[in-house]
Amino acid sequence: MENSNKNLCEEIIRRSGVNPRKCMKCGKCSGTCPAYDEMEYHPHQFVYMVESGDIEPLLKSKSIYRCLTCFACVDRCPRGVEPAKLVEAVRLAVVREQGANHLKADDIPQLLDEDLPQQAIVSALRKYTK
């Protein structure tokens, strides 16, 4: 594994707080994922790929944006691995690499739309202020 990929994997694991080695590859997380059909890489594959250091395909995958962050995979995991947190950490790494990594509270009023649920605004603020 290339040194920069190794460092990125370690950073993703640290940022997510997830220990991917706990995964027993049962696939229950993927079986309960409502976005399964839309994802190129499924939750159990995210965990395995981060664990093995095969991070490049994940960084280029649209799957990181297909994840609904509903945490169904987290609830279903018998080992408490929390795949959604790994997906969020990979997404954050990609966003930061692109340079669009911060949403400030002052930016929110111009983004408001009467059809936009308040939960979406809070979620975006939480994700992009890290």
Side-chain angles (χ1 to χ4, degrees):
M1 173 175 19
E2 192 178 300
N3 196 31
S4 64
N5 281 352
K6 182 179 180 198
N7 291 341
L8 184 56
C9 281
E10 289 172 2
E11 178 66 21
I12 286 169
I13 290 169
R14 185 194 62 75
R15 197 176 283 152
S16 68
V18 173
N19 180 356
R21 287 187 228 126
K22 290 180 7 182
C23 179
M24 60 185 185
K25 297 164 186 58
C26 67
K28 288 183 179 183
C29 57
S30 293
T32 193
C33 179
Y36 181 89
D37 293 333
E38 303 296 321
M39 297 177 77
E40 177 182 3
Y41 299 107
H42 305 112
H44 74 282
Q45 292 172 309
F46 263 91
V47 174
Y48 175 74
M49 291 170 84
V50 170
E51 177 189 6
S52 67
D54 189 19
I55 197 78
E56 280 298 317
L58 294 179
L59 297 174
K60 297 174 184 166
S61 173
K62 297 293 181 194
S63 294
I64 59 175
Y65 303 107
R66 302 277 191 255
C67 174
L68 302 172
T69 319
C70 66
F71 289 86
C73 57
V74 172
D75 287 340
R76 190 75 170 111
C77 181
R79 306 279 307 244
V81 175
E82 303 178 306
K85 289 186 178 183
L86 280 175
V87 174
E88 279 190 327
V90 171
R91 183 185 312 147
L92 183 61
V94 169
V95 168
R96 286 189 171 177
E97 183 179 297
Q98 294 170 349
N101 62 334
H102 294 289
L103 178 65
K104 296 175 181 72
D106 293 338
D107 298 338
I108 292 175
Q110 65 213 22
L111 299 173
L112 291 179
D113 177 326
E114 63 185 47
D115 296 327
L116 186 65
Q118 186 177 12
Q119 183 178 3
I121 298 164
V122 172
S123 178
L125 185 63
R126 179 179 58 85
K127 286 180 185 178
Y128 298 112
T129 57
K130 294 180 181 178

